[in-house]
Amino acid sequence: MKNLVRQINTPSRVVVVAFLAVVLSGTALLSLPIAVEQNRAGTWTSALFTATSAVCVTGLAVQDTATHWTIFGELVILVLMQIGGFGIMSLASILALVVSGRLGLRARLNTQAETKTLGPGDVRRVIAGVAKVTLVVETLTAVILSVRFVAGYGEPLGRAVYYGIFHAVSAFTNAGFALWPDSMMRFVTDPWICLPLALTVVAGGLGFPVYAVLRQNWRRPSRWSLHAKITVGMTAVLLTGGTLAVTATEWNNPGTLGALSPGLRVMAGFFHSTMTRSGGLNSVDVSQMHENTWLISDVLMFIGAGSASTGGGIKVTTFALLAYVILAELRGEPDVTAGRRRVPEQLQRQALTIALLSVASVAAGTFVMMMLTPFKLDRVLFEVVSAFGTVGLSTGITPDVGTSGHLVLTTLMLIGRLGPVTLGAALALHVQTRRFRYPEERPLVG
């Protein structure tokens, strides 16, 4: 345990301290009178909640972003989103380098093979690569959105560019903040707004290690690393499955998809499925969805996006590895294999540890929120999973859970944003060898 604490106190502590420092700085800036509209009352709890939500790229809000904050306040949120998204991609990738540098030779070579060009000493290269990916994707999305706001909605050029940049950053960082009270609901029938935002969320949720692989072998999937194959494959499966499930359950719901044409229903279902991966924007009223759709969303939000990405959740690789473990056990196979590669037992335990501790965090958060608020389980669970998965979708109860509830959600956002990354790195570095083994005994299971 002491060794594990020391591992957490080295590279992982840097990540935690850096994020907390940015959150506190953002809280201070959002507490300034210049950040709040004159007819609005600002509090330190709303500033803390908003700063945490922006840095953790969650998108949950206790105040309407469009009407509560001034241009200065919105710019602070924009910068915090960019720092949070860029920082988590960079720091998570750098932690992978730290892990590869601290493991044995064979494990180090395997780790470097997974990230291709990434090796010890490549920190500057990683940061430059993340910056290039971020700049290219956000610029392309901002241009498309800006042109659409001018051509389709008659917005002045300056305002259109501002809207385009803000929502491009919000989408790529998977932050979920919007400059309209109804998020993206007014654009539910506009593919030129919804589809670029959805694809940008997907791009932000892949992670830099995947881009490092695709940059060299994007035409030859057979040469992709196992991590890239799992991330891309699970992303496609979850997007497709989520789209089908959400569209089917909400097809005849007049409060969501029922009033749209068939083609637009599918697009809205795809948009919602994409945003549950950690995007946080919504083109239909989430509070009007059926309870079974909330449950589907809970599952998708809990799984989240790719490792070392701007998305949250336990990550698709963790979920996929647990699925491979179950499949191997059902088949009675001695080894867990994925893509003709054997998965080390240590990695299996890491995935199981992260998943179970995440379940415990969600369960504890839900229990506390049920004690503090009058809302029913389905709405509270949705809000808790959204906070922990740093998603930002809401059934509408976040502003009404009170100061204590806001502090609980703030804590969950921090745990959900930093927990899987730092815990994964600490577990990977915490490798011990024993010179003895205890006698084996088999307790009953099931």
Side-chain angles (χ1 to χ4, degrees):
M1 178 60 69
K2 292 181 180 180
N3 289 334
L4 179 57
V5 171
R6 281 198 294 269
Q7 300 293 2
I8 295 176
N9 284 341
T10 47
S12 301
R13 184 174 62 179
V14 175
V15 178
V16 175
V17 172
F19 266 74
L20 289 178
V22 177
V23 167
L24 293 178
S25 300
T27 302
L29 291 174
L30 292 176
S31 298
L32 297 175
I34 192 177
V36 183
E37 293 286 355
Q38 292 183 355
N39 60 340
R40 297 279 183 166
T43 63
W44 72 269
T45 53
S46 64
L48 174 64
F49 189 95
T50 304
T52 305
S53 185
V55 176
C56 294
V57 290
T58 304
L60 286 176
V62 295
Q63 304 288 352
D64 177 37
T65 305
T67 59
H68 182 80
W69 305 107
T70 62
I71 294 295
F72 175 81
E74 292 173 0
L75 289 176
V76 170
I77 293 173
L78 174 63
V79 172
L80 293 178
M81 289 190 299
Q82 189 69 84
I83 293 175
F86 178 80
I88 201 64
M89 285 187 72
S90 301
L91 293 174
S93 299
I94 291 171
L95 281 177
L97 300 183
V98 174
V99 169
S100 69
R102 294 289 296 275
L103 298 178
L105 176 60
R106 179 179 299 179
R108 184 162 65 250
L109 292 176
N110 289 337
T111 303
Q112 291 180 17
E114 288 297 304
T115 55
K116 295 302 179 186
T117 59
L118 306 184
D122 285 335
V123 172
R124 185 179 301 175
R125 197 173 187 176
V126 170
I127 295 176
V130 173
K132 289 178 182 178
V133 171
T134 302
L135 180 63
V136 169
V137 177
E138 289 182 353
T139 300
L140 180 60
T141 306
V143 169
I144 295 174
L145 294 178
S146 300
V147 171
R148 183 57 180 169
F149 288 140
V150 171
Y153 299 93
E155 295 286 356
L157 180 61
R159 184 182 298 175
V161 171
Y162 175 62
Y163 284 166
I165 293 175
F166 187 97
H167 294 94
V169 173
S170 181
F172 182 74
T173 60
N174 280 221
F177 282 92
L179 294 178
W180 294 281
D182 60 355
S183 189
M184 294 291 132
M185 290 174 58
R186 64 186 62 193
F187 304 113
V188 66
T189 61
D190 191 344
W192 290 100
I193 298 293
C194 291
L195 293 182
L197 288 174
L199 294 177
T200 303
V201 167
V202 174
L206 291 178
F208 180 70
V210 173
Y211 286 116
V213 173
L214 297 181
R215 183 172 61 88
Q216 294 184 344
N217 297 303
W218 68 277
R219 291 184 176 180
R220 293 174 288 182
S222 60
R223 302 188 62 178
W224 293 359
S225 67
L226 179 59
H227 172 75
K229 290 178 180 177
I230 290 177
T231 302
V232 175
M234 284 300 301
T235 297
V237 169
L238 292 174
L239 284 177
T240 304
T243 300
L244 293 175
V246 171
T247 304
T249 53
E250 296 294 319
W251 187 265
N252 293 318
N253 185 350
T256 55
L257 307 185
L260 304 173
S261 65
L264 293 177
R265 294 182 197 184
V266 175
M267 185 179 74
F270 170 73
F271 190 87
H272 182 77
S273 175
T274 302
M275 294 305 158
T276 57
R277 302 191 66 249
S278 197
L281 300 170
N282 61 284
S283 63
V284 295
D285 190 351
V286 177
S287 66
Q288 298 298 314
M289 287 182 166
H290 295 309
E291 294 178 359
N292 51 355
T293 308
W294 288 344
L295 180 59
I296 294 170
S297 302
D298 290 340
V299 174
L300 294 174
M301 291 190 297
F302 184 76
I303 297 173
S307 300
S309 73
T310 59
I314 64 171
K315 303 300 187 294
V316 294
T317 44
T318 303
F319 179 76
L321 287 180
L322 293 179
Y324 282 121
V325 171
I326 295 173
L327 184 61
E329 189 64 25
L330 292 177
R331 291 177 174 176
E333 296 178 350
D335 296 323
V336 176
T337 58
R340 297 186 179 181
R341 294 291 186 271
R342 180 168 53 86
V343 179
E345 293 183 2
Q346 179 192 359
L347 200 60
Q348 300 172 35
R349 293 195 297 269
Q350 290 175 21
L352 183 62
T353 301
I354 291 174
L356 290 182
L357 287 179
S358 298
V359 170
S361 299
V362 170
T366 303
F367 176 79
V368 174
M369 289 292 288
M370 290 289 292
M371 296 288 291
L372 297 175
T373 67
F375 300 105
K376 294 183 178 180
L377 175 61
D378 49 6
R379 290 182 180 270
V380 170
L381 179 62
F382 189 100
E383 225 73 10
V384 168
V385 175
S386 181
F388 177 82
T390 66
V391 179
L393 293 174
S394 174
T395 61
I397 67 172
T398 295
D400 302 320
V401 297
T403 301
S404 299
H406 293 156
L407 293 177
V408 172
L409 293 178
T410 300
T411 304
L412 285 169
M413 286 189 284
L414 288 170
I415 294 174
R417 177 73 281 181
L418 300 176
V421 174
T422 56
L423 180 60
L427 291 174
L429 293 170
H430 183 62
V431 181
Q432 291 184 338
T433 57
R434 246 184 205 172
R435 300 181 183 274
F436 64 93
R437 301 180 71 183
Y438 290 107
E440 181 180 282
E441 184 173 350
R442 294 176 176 268
L444 296 178
V445 176

